[in-house]
Each structure stands twice: as C-alpha cells, then as structure tokens.
C-alpha cells in the first residue's frame, strides 16, 4: 500500500526533511526545485519559514554544499538529551527507554521531527516503540538517536 501525502504544511515539511537527509542542497532555490520534482510547489518565503520552523541548520559541506541537521535539531535533540535512557533495536523496531512519564514527550518529539526514516511511534509510560521504514533500519535509527542525544547533552554541559 502506498501512502498519499496531503498538501498540508506538515506533509510539505516532511518532504523537505526527506530531501535534506538524502541530498546535499546548495540553496533554497535548489530545494524548491527538488520539491517541485516531487509535486510540491512552494514560494521562497514559505520555504524559508518552513526551514526556520523545522530548525534546519545551514552547514557548509564539501564544495560549499548546504547540509542539514533537520531531523535532530530543535525539540527532538533537546528532548532526547533530557529523556533518552537507552535505545535497543531489532530489525525495523527500536525500543527507547525514558524515565517514568517521559515516553509520550519523546514520542511526540520524534513524530514531529519529520524524520523520513521513521514510520511512526507508540508510547507507554517509560517506553517508546519506534517503527522504521527500512526493514533493517532499527539499528541505524537507535545509534543516530543515541549519538544526537549525547551530542546535545555535551553541548548543554559546555554552555
């Protein structure tokens, strides 16, 4: 079954996040063209607002390419640094542990991060089940979440 994305702001931002995680984008104009190739038309001002809301970080990569930390910036990085106790993967599933009462907040941050590799989450009190799109993507997702949580925590300790 193929999912159909509605023409909503959230769907547009998910498409943006998907592009930024898969390609080196040099400008907003290039990003707009890549979105148009996916059937998403967007004005430059709207695209700029979307990138700001998503917490996209403009980085200079090889050859001047603009890279992004979109999937982990903003609320997800902060919430993961505060709440993520452990992450364990099996196939396309990841089990995240949090302190009591923290799972809903972490799951919500994951759901709103627009991380294309994640299909969805289910949260209990202190446990989040993450389902990845790739049948073997759980280990990569768990490792990425742990890395980002540790990096954000280290940044906050230095500040």
């Amino acid at each position: 079954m193929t999912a159909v994305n509605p023409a909503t702001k959230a769907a547009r931002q998910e498409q943006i996040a998907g592009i930024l995680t898969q390609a080196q984008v040099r400008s907003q104009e290039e990003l707009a063209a890549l979105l148009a190739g996916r059937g998403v038309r967007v004005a430059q001002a709207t695209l700029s607002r979307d990138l700001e809301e998503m917490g996209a970080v403009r980085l200079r990569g090889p050859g001047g390419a603009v890279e992004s930390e979109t999937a982990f910036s903003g609320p997800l990085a902060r919430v993961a640094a505060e709440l993520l106790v452990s992450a364990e993967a099996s196939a396309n599933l990841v089990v995240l542990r949090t302190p009591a009462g923290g799972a809903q907040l972490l799951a919500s941050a994951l759901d709103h991060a627009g991380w294309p590799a994640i299909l969805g989450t289910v949260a209990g009190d202190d446990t989040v089940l993450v389902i990845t799109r790739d049948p073997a993507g759980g280990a990569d997702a768990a490792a990425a979440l742990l890395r980002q949580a540790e990096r954000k925590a280290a940044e906050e300790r230095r500040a």
Side-chain angles (χ1 to χ4, degrees), residues 14-94:
E14 185 171 336
Q15 290 289 327
I16 292 168
I19 289 169
L20 293 176
T21 59
Q22 296 169 357
Q24 290 186 347
V25 180
R26 295 189 190 323
S27 67
Q28 286 187 11
E29 292 78 20
E30 182 179 353
L31 180 55
L34 291 167
L35 284 166
R38 292 182 175 201
V40 179
R41 305 264 184 247
V42 62
Q44 189 278 330
T46 301
L47 183 56
S48 184
R49 277 192 303 276
D50 283 344
L51 290 167
E52 185 173 332
E53 285 177 20
M54 294 168 64
V57 178
R58 185 179 175 118
L59 303 173
R60 290 289 174 195
V66 177
E67 298 175 356
S68 174
E69 291 287 331
T70 301
F72 297 106
S73 60
L76 178 56
R78 185 175 54 256
V79 170
E82 292 173 9
L83 296 176
L84 186 59
V85 173
S86 68
E88 191 172 345
S90 176
N92 72 323
L93 305 176
V94 181

Side-chain angles (χ1 to χ4, degrees), residues 14 17 21 71-72 76 110 113-119 133 140-142 144-145:
E14 185 171 336
T21 59
F72 297 106
L76 178 56
L110 277 163
W115 191 6
I118 294 180
L119 185 60
R133 293 182 193 284
D140 289 341
L145 281 165

